[in-house]
């Protein structure tokens, strides 16, 4: 019983901050989860912990991981309102899977490479090497989570839900990027 009070207080504080400062709260949450995903990925791979991927995933989460999805989910709700559009869930899902996912994957791969200190040419080379594999995995593994997200998760919590799913995705993505770097070397 004593453990539940601090957890409830933390949850209440998070929800209050999410309501009062949605973008800041989502960005900080994305930063923490992205950083954690990078660290876990490196720990699972063994060897030394490198700071450049950790910083890249943290910076990406802080700058883009909360803001872009925040505005995307707002846009989706405006484009496909539940009470006006026929089959809104299907339309939201198709829009997310066929337009947003390909663009955000390309943006993420390129931006993470740049945040790690790679030049434009090296970032594009890494993007070209990984893009189709990562996008295919995204469609294969994240579609069910997006269905759950858009069907059952309140709009205010959608970014948090996908950031939690994204913790596992960040581990996958970091592993793919590390494997590509190791092949190159």
């Amino acid at each position: 019983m004593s453990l539940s009070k601090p957890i409830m207080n933390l949850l209440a504080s998070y929800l209050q901050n999410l309501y009062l400062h949605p973008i800041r709260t989502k960005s900080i949450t994305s930063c923490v989860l992205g950083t954690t995903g990078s660290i876990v990925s490196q720990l699972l791979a063994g060897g030394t912990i490198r700071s450049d991927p950790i910083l890249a995933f943290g910076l990406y989460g802080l700058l883009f991981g909360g803001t872009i999805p925040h505005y995307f989910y707002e846009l989706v709700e405006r484009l496909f309102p539940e009470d006006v559009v026929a089959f809104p869930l299907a339309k939201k899902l198709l829009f997310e899977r066929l337009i947003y996912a390909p663009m955000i994957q390309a943006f993420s791969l390129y931006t993470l490479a740049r945040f790690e200190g790679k030049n434009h040419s090296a970032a594009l080379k890494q993007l070209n090497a990984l893009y189709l594999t990562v996008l295919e995995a995204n469609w294969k593994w994240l579609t069910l989570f997006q269905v759950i997200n858009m069907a059952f998760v309140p709009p205010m919590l959608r970014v948090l839900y996908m950031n939690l799913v994204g913790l596992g995705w960040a581990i996958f993505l970091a592993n793919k990027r590390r494997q590509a770097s190791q092949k190159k070397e």
Side-chain angles (χ1 to χ4, degrees):
M1 199 56 129
S2 63
L3 180 63
S4 64
K5 185 168 177 132
I7 291 172
M8 292 305 292
N9 288 341
L10 181 64
L11 181 60
S13 175
Y14 180 82
L15 291 173
Q16 180 180 19
N17 278 298
L18 189 59
Y19 179 76
L20 295 174
H21 312 286
I23 295 171
R24 180 175 65 189
T25 304
K26 292 171 185 179
S27 295
I28 292 169
T29 303
S30 182
C31 174
V32 168
L33 291 173
T35 301
T36 302
S38 181
I39 292 168
V40 169
S41 169
Q42 291 185 55
L43 289 173
L44 291 174
T48 60
I49 301 293
R50 294 179 40 231
S51 63
D52 52 334
I54 295 169
L55 292 172
F57 274 88
L59 188 58
Y60 180 87
L62 187 63
L63 296 177
F64 305 115
T67 54
I68 293 173
H70 171 84
Y71 290 114
F72 169 74
Y73 288 121
E74 279 187 352
L75 174 67
V76 165
E77 290 304 313
R78 282 196 312 268
L79 289 176
F80 310 108
E82 297 286 329
D83 55 342
V84 178
V85 176
F87 307 107
L89 177 59
K91 290 177 181 175
K92 289 176 188 178
L93 187 63
L94 285 171
F95 185 75
E96 191 282 334
R97 298 281 74 201
L98 299 177
I99 296 172
Y100 178 74
M103 290 190 322
I104 198 69
Q105 287 306 313
F107 178 76
S108 298
L109 288 169
Y110 178 81
T111 305
L112 286 167
R114 292 305 305 254
F115 283 167
E116 285 182 333
K118 293 183 171 97
N119 64 30
H120 173 71
S121 178
L124 280 179
K125 187 174 181 180
Q126 183 175 347
L127 170 63
N128 288 331
L130 293 175
Y131 180 70
L132 291 178
T133 303
V134 170
L135 182 61
E136 182 180 310
N138 181 303
W139 284 338
K140 183 177 181 182
W141 298 107
L142 297 183
T143 298
L144 176 60
F145 292 107
Q146 277 295 0
V147 169
I148 293 167
N149 192 24
M150 293 193 184
F152 303 111
V153 177
M156 186 170 105
L157 297 174
R158 287 186 181 154
V159 175
L160 173 63
Y161 172 79
M162 287 312 293
N163 277 333
L164 291 171
V165 170
L167 178 63
W169 184 249
I171 294 168
F172 168 79
L173 189 58
N175 279 329
K176 283 291 183 190
R177 294 176 71 247
R178 186 179 48 258
Q179 289 168 358
S181 292
Q182 289 171 347
K183 284 182 186 177
K184 182 182 152 193
E185 295 168 1

